[in-house]
Amino acid sequence: MEKEHRKKIIAPVVIAAVSVLYYALFLGVLLWLPMFSLMKILLGVVPLVFIGVLVFVTVERIQEIRSGEEDDLSKY
């Protein structure tokens, strides 16, 4: 992998890692709070979905950078 590609991959990975950590902590606090189990499950799904989407989008972005499609806006 080129050094230039490595630099472009760092920012999305760091932002995704911080966001995943935030949502994981939010989920942990949510599960720790005293409330009905059904409510915990319903409210706990939201951070899990956000974490899944963040990981998916980050993997797609890394694949775009590696394939050379870094600037899609230049096509339009």
Side-chain angles (χ1 to χ4, degrees):
M1 183 180 354
E2 293 179 19
K3 200 173 202 178
E4 180 181 321
H5 287 248
R6 212 174 303 160
K7 287 182 181 180
K8 291 181 180 180
I9 290 175
I10 290 173
V13 169
V14 168
I15 291 171
V18 169
S19 299
V20 166
L21 180 64
Y22 171 77
Y23 286 118
L25 288 172
F26 179 77
L27 180 63
V29 168
L30 186 67
L31 294 176
W32 178 73
L33 291 174
M35 66 176 84
F36 297 113
S37 295
L38 180 61
M39 188 166 245
K40 284 183 182 184
I41 292 170
L42 291 175
L43 293 175
V45 168
V46 174
L48 289 175
V49 169
F50 283 157
I51 289 171
V53 169
L54 279 167
V55 170
F56 177 75
V57 169
T58 303
V59 168
E60 277 192 349
R61 181 66 184 137
I62 290 171
Q63 290 173 349
E64 285 177 359
I65 291 171
R66 285 184 179 164
S67 69
E69 299 176 21
E70 294 129 20
D71 190 15
D72 289 338
L73 291 177
S74 65
K75 296 178 185 176
Y76 300 104

